[in-house]
């Protein structure tokens, strides 16, 4: 017996995140470690996910890994500047970054 199983992964790449944000999904930034200030920069650990109107979330993963090798890795941002640069690159005009472990901030693209 030969069956095909369609699995919908709860992950997305940068390109997928951009497309989902353009479709109206919320992009959330999750703080995974309290940031520390070192000189003029903030270092911590942040990840991102999209959340659709149905509540389904997809975590941002690196595009350099291969699904066939079970090597999906969550994309981690280790500086506040990295988070800001990514969000601006997606199309956001402002960036809100959680600064405490466990906190989340949300972003939505608005069309004119």
């Amino acid at each position: 017996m030969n069956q095909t199983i369609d699995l919908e992964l709860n992950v997305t790449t940068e390109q997928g995140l951009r497309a989902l944000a353009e479709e109206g999904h919320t992009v959330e930034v999750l703080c995974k470690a309290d940031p520390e200030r070192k000189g003029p920069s903030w270092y911590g650990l942040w990840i991102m996910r999209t959340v659709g109107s149905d509540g389904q979330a997809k975590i941002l993963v690196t595009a350099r890994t291969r699904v066939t090798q079970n090597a999906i890795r969550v994309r981690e941002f280790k500086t506040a500047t990295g988070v800001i640069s990514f969000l601006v690159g997606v199309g956001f005009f402002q960036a809100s970054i959680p600064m405490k472990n466990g906190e989340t901030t949300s972003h939505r693209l608005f069309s004119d």
Side-chain angles (χ1 to χ4, degrees):
M1 182 184 281
N2 195 6
Q3 290 182 325
T4 302
I5 298 173
D6 290 329
L7 295 176
E8 184 167 334
L9 300 176
N10 62 345
V11 298
T12 187
T13 61
E14 181 177 340
Q15 184 178 17
L17 183 137
R18 286 175 195 265
L20 290 169
E22 289 172 0
E23 291 174 12
H25 290 234
T26 300
V27 175
E28 295 184 342
V29 180
L30 294 81
C31 182
K32 302 303 269 180
D34 288 338
E36 294 181 26
R37 186 174 181 174
K38 295 179 185 175
S41 300
W42 286 90
Y43 294 84
L45 183 61
W46 296 270
I47 63 171
M48 293 191 198
R49 70 179 174 204
T50 62
V51 181
S53 59
D54 60 358
Q56 184 178 6
K58 291 185 179 272
I59 296 173
L60 178 64
V61 296
T62 59
R64 294 181 293 274
T65 58
R66 296 179 186 212
V67 175
T68 57
Q69 296 176 346
N70 285 332
I72 296 174
R73 290 189 19 206
V74 173
R75 177 145 179 209
E76 298 176 338
F77 297 84
K78 297 185 179 173
T79 66
T81 302
V83 174
I84 293 167
S85 296
F86 182 84
L87 290 171
V88 169
V90 170
F92 294 101
F93 295 112
Q94 56 185 334
S96 179
I97 302 171
M99 297 297 283
K100 193 168 193 178
N101 185 21
E103 289 184 347
T104 302
T105 58
S106 298
H107 302 79
R108 287 195 72 147
L109 290 176
F110 295 100
S111 56
D112 295 333

